Amino acid sequence: MTLAPEPAVVILSEASHALGRRIADAIGGELHGARARTAHVDVAFDETRAHLAALFSAGRPIVAVMAAGALIRILAPLLADKHSEPAVVAVSEDGASVVPLLGGHHGANDLARSIAAALDAHAAVTTAGDVKFGVALDQPRQGYVLANPADAKAVMAELVAGAKAQLEISSPQRGEGGAIAPGEGAAPDKVGRLAPSSGPSDHLLPAGEKGRPPLAAWLISSRIPFAEDGTVTLTVTDRPKHAGPLELVYHPKTLVLGMGCERHASSEEAIALAEQALADSDLAWQSLAAVASIDVKADETAIHDVAAHFGVPARFFSAARLEEEAPRLQNPSEVVFAEVGCHGVAEGAALAGVGPSGDLVLPKIKSKGVTAAIAHSAAIVDPDTIGRARGTLYVVGVGPGADQWRSPEVSAMVSASTDLVGYSLYLDLLGPLAKGKTRHDFDLGKEEARVVHAMELAGEGKTVALVCSGDAGIYAMATLVFELFDKGGISDAASRIEVQVSPGISALQAAAARIGAPLGHDFCTISLSDLLTPWEHIQRRVKAAGEGDFVIAFYNPVSMKRRTQLAYARDKLLEYRPASTPVILATNLGRPGEHVRTVPLGSLNVDDVDMLTVVVVGSSESRTVTTGDGKTWVYTPRGYSGKAESGMKIETKG
């Protein structure tokens, strides 16, 4: 899954913190601050120029609370293709002025207006079309797609120079029963604009749509001068159309493609049938708002591949909801009813998607294992208001706790989530990133309950982050997710969700980084908790790791009641490695109270270890070294030292 880039709100001093946080909250952004001069930010950085360059290169929208000139000088060497550059907005430190610098028609102007509204400030939009007409023709309103964006510059230049425009709106004509009659198409209505003071009028509507909001209201309400003989043409149509000279073609999102399929149907077959459906009905694929189906197909790859092919979301309805559409179906089927509980999937899903005011414009067609139908709505279809999404579960590891140790992917997944599930301490570690999310807090010992809850929330169509400390796949919740898929214990909806696991820095890695490089050669991890693993199995693993001379990271070394296991491990390992072997004790890594120290294996005291400590025991080859600043480090040679000492020739390749 590709995650939409979250705006980065960049501040350079603590004096700008309140303003930056206010902006970030208003636009759903992430607060980035200079580490040396700010605190309590979502992301801290060391060098401003490098950080801004990295954000820009990654395509992140940037809102910087700093001088516009300084921001321009930093980004100037990176400017290349204006069509691919992200939005860049500068905000004055007093919050009075908001200036879109780059990507004006690709989000910056709208971003600036949103920020200005939140701050009661001035959005200094300077692009000609926005200033003169109050609209950017190459950035249509949500629910519309511009078919020929390359022509927008010439059209806008013509209008700015004084030309007038004519507006054409067309929609499918319906034959008997609401479907497009054979051989019929759409009759375009060429309309002229009323005087600006008169406002939108029914005469600007397609035939048969009187009394409804104009399909092109965002154009009609602009300051563009319309006339019947305008030299510029603005066309709004859900049919394919090649643009003529000085014409822009906009496709409104008014169509829903309903689909049904056999289990594990071919994606290629499904895409081919979907394209055939659009061709047969002479409708533009750009006007598709969603692909819809029954909820038992929520995990069907073919359905999602069709949606991805057209760049629209997939939405799903229950059999009961689809059965409500039975009176409007043109091809009801008792066989389908017996199979899934409704009389039609493709037609029913298309009709459910457009609602009671919509019509079926292409009855069901089918191939070997797939069915398809198309319905049309008189108004823009918002896919977020129809059916439900498949539901997504992000299983994320937030690392030991420090913001700088949380991966950008994890931060993006948490930001994209509607709900957060986890142990309360782990959710607290997210800090401001959790703001605005619905929290579902669980006690430490409720692992399976929290995983089931997270999966069921996703089964409702929500986007959920299951938050783990360290790495989600190392003694954490990722394994429980797949165990529930395997063994059951969750609803059918929860069993069909999408899952993504994102790695985090484990306590093992964090401890190693703090003390040097103890993992320079073979290592293993062993949990000393016998809650899930029989003690005799743990003993066998400790013995095997000792015999194999592995560096060992012990997780769950002690608890309030369990105090003997670590002592056993120490004594057993002393049979295989010297008492001087370095042992790293790392407590509260990346959090207040962090304490990392090294003791000899022979002197390891169980009372020095608590539940928040990871214990890393070196191998017989691990050693310490003290640098000039007096700091002692632990490292494990990569294996060459023993070979060299035995006189073995070491070959290197240059």
Side-chain angles (χ1 to χ4, degrees):
M1 176 178 290
T2 301
L3 300 171
E6 183 181 22
V9 180
V10 179
I11 61 173
L12 305 182
S13 68
E14 192 61 27
S16 300
H17 188 282
L19 176 62
R21 180 59 69 189
R22 188 176 171 190
I23 294 171
D25 290 345
I27 63 175
E30 188 177 60
L31 187 61
H32 293 221
R35 192 186 308 278
R37 297 184 297 279
T38 61
H40 307 296
V41 295
D42 302 327
V43 175
F45 58 86
D46 294 311
E47 208 280 312
T48 302
R49 180 179 296 273
H51 188 67
L52 286 169
L55 290 172
F56 187 83
S57 298
R60 289 282 295 273
I62 298 171
V63 179
V65 182
M66 61 185 295
L71 184 55
I72 291 170
R73 284 191 293 273
I74 289 173
L75 298 180
L78 304 176
L79 301 184
D81 178 11
K82 73 173 187 177
H83 297 293
S84 62
E85 291 165 351
V88 177
V89 177
V91 180
S92 61
E93 292 189 357
D94 61 0
S97 298
V98 185
V99 186
L101 299 177
L102 296 170
H105 288 177
H106 298 90
N109 288 348
D110 287 344
L111 199 58
R113 293 187 185 101
S114 297
I115 295 169
L119 302 181
D120 193 22
H122 171 63
V125 177
T126 60
T127 47
D130 291 75
V131 172
K132 187 168 184 177
F133 304 123
V135 67
L137 291 179
D138 60 351
Q139 188 184 10
R141 298 294 169 86
Q142 185 173 359
Y144 296 83
V145 174
L146 175 57
N148 55 321
D151 297 331
K153 182 177 180 180
V155 168
M156 185 61 79
E158 191 78 6
L159 290 171
V160 170
K164 295 184 179 181
Q166 53 182 283
L167 179 63
E168 292 189 1
I169 303 175
S170 64
S171 65
Q173 291 182 341
R174 294 166 182 79
E176 186 177 353
I180 295 179
E184 290 188 353
D189 290 340
K190 184 176 291 187
V191 298
R193 172 136 162 81
L194 294 176
S197 60
S198 63
S201 170
D202 274 355
H203 87 285
L204 293 170
L205 296 167
E209 302 298 344
K210 303 302 182 184
R212 300 188 187 280
L215 196 59
W218 65 281
L219 288 171
I220 297 168
S221 61
S222 72
R223 296 189 294 274
I224 294 174
F226 287 97
E228 292 281 359
D229 59 351
T231 57
V232 165
T233 303
L234 304 179
T235 299
V236 180
T237 179
D238 39 27
R239 297 172 60 80
K241 188 179 191 305
H242 292 292
L246 292 178
E247 180 181 19
L248 295 181
V249 178
Y250 298 94
H251 295 298
K253 295 285 188 177
T254 54
L255 306 176
V256 174
L257 172 66
M259 298 199 78
C261 66
E262 297 176 350
R263 176 55 68 184
H264 305 308
S266 161
S267 293
E268 292 77 11
E269 178 187 348
I271 291 171
L273 188 68
E275 290 181 332
Q276 180 188 332
L278 289 165
D280 288 352
S281 54
D282 195 26
L283 292 169
W285 67 266
Q286 296 95 328
S287 282
L288 283 179
V291 174
S293 190
I294 192 169
D295 56 9
V296 295
K297 299 299 179 184
D299 59 348
E300 193 67 58
T301 300
I303 301 295
H304 290 282
D305 284 350
V306 171
H309 178 72
F310 294 114
V312 298
R315 292 292 181 262
F316 302 93
F317 297 92
S318 67
R321 173 65 187 90
L322 295 188
E323 184 59 13
E324 293 176 8
E325 300 294 340
R328 298 207 288 167
L329 300 181
Q330 292 200 27
N331 297 283
S333 169
E334 292 296 335
V335 174
V336 174
F337 181 78
E339 182 79 16
V340 297
C342 65
H343 281 84
V345 172
E347 292 183 357
L351 288 165
V354 298
S357 63
D359 296 285
L360 195 66
V361 292
L362 181 76
K364 179 179 72 176
I365 62 173
K366 59 184 179 180
S367 58
K368 180 180 178 181
V370 185
T371 59
I374 299 176
H376 172 267
S377 170
I380 297 297
V381 175
D382 181 358
D384 290 338
T385 65
I386 63 173
R388 68 167 177 84
R390 178 186 182 186
T392 299
L393 178 64
Y394 296 128
V395 189
V396 300
V398 297
D403 292 345
Q404 67 270 22
W405 278 348
R406 186 174 62 235
S407 78
E409 181 180 67
V410 166
S411 294
M413 287 178 169
V414 172
S415 296
S417 299
T418 57
D419 295 71
L420 308 177
V421 179
Y423 172 43
S424 296
L425 173 62
Y426 302 159
L427 298 185
D428 291 341
L429 292 176
L430 293 172
L433 201 60
K435 188 172 183 179
K437 314 295 182 185
T438 302
R439 285 180 52 145
H440 304 262
D441 292 61
F442 283 80
D443 294 335
L444 185 60
K446 303 291 185 180
E447 286 88 354
E448 184 166 340
R450 78 177 89 144
V451 174
V452 169
H453 187 69
M455 296 177 76
E456 294 294 347
L457 285 173
E460 296 172 9
K462 297 179 179 179
T463 302
V464 183
L466 178 59
V467 179
C468 310
S469 69
D471 181 276
I474 301 178
Y475 301 116
M477 300 299 100
T479 185
L480 259 177
V481 170
F482 298 105
E483 189 173 332
L484 287 165
F485 276 130
D486 186 27
K487 297 181 178 179
I490 52 177
S491 68
D492 181 74
S495 71
R496 299 183 187 279
I497 62 174
E498 178 185 7
V499 176
Q500 287 191 45
V501 182
S502 186
I505 295 176
S506 67
L508 165 65
Q509 293 170 294
R514 285 292 197 237
I515 203 64
L519 308 181
H521 209 302
D522 296 342
F523 64 92
C524 67
T525 63
I526 299 175
S527 171
L528 292 180
S529 172
D530 56 3
L531 292 177
L532 299 176
T533 305
W535 173 236
E536 58 269 24
H537 291 188
I538 297 172
Q539 288 177 299
R540 187 169 67 250
R541 291 168 185 173
V542 172
K543 181 175 183 293
E547 291 177 339
D549 200 21
F550 286 90
V551 175
I552 309 168
F554 287 114
Y555 280 68
N556 307 308
V558 299
S559 69
M560 295 293 291
K561 297 180 180 180
R562 178 170 42 80
R563 312 296 297 176
T564 60
Q565 282 88 337
L566 183 59
Y568 166 84
R570 175 199 61 205
D571 295 342
K572 176 57 65 175
L573 292 177
L574 283 170
E575 297 177 12
Y576 303 102
R577 58 196 69 178
S580 60
T581 300
V583 177
I584 300 115
L585 306 178
T587 305
N588 284 320
L589 284 162
R591 300 192 288 270
E594 177 183 300
H595 185 36
V596 181
R597 65 275 193 203
T598 304
V599 300
L601 178 60
S603 303
L604 175 59
N605 186 344
V606 174
D607 292 333
D608 292 336
V609 180
D610 62 21
M611 291 182 290
L612 298 178
T613 302
V614 62
V615 178
V616 182
V617 181
S619 71
S620 64
E621 289 285 329
S622 299
R623 57 196 70 178
T624 61
V625 61
T626 302
T627 50
D629 57 5
K631 181 172 178 57
T632 298
W633 304 88
V634 178
Y635 75 100
T636 302
R638 294 183 297 164
Y640 298 148
S641 60
K643 295 179 181 179
E645 289 168 5
S646 66
M648 184 179 294
K649 181 180 180 181
I650 302 174
E651 294 184 359
T652 60
K653 295 181 178 180

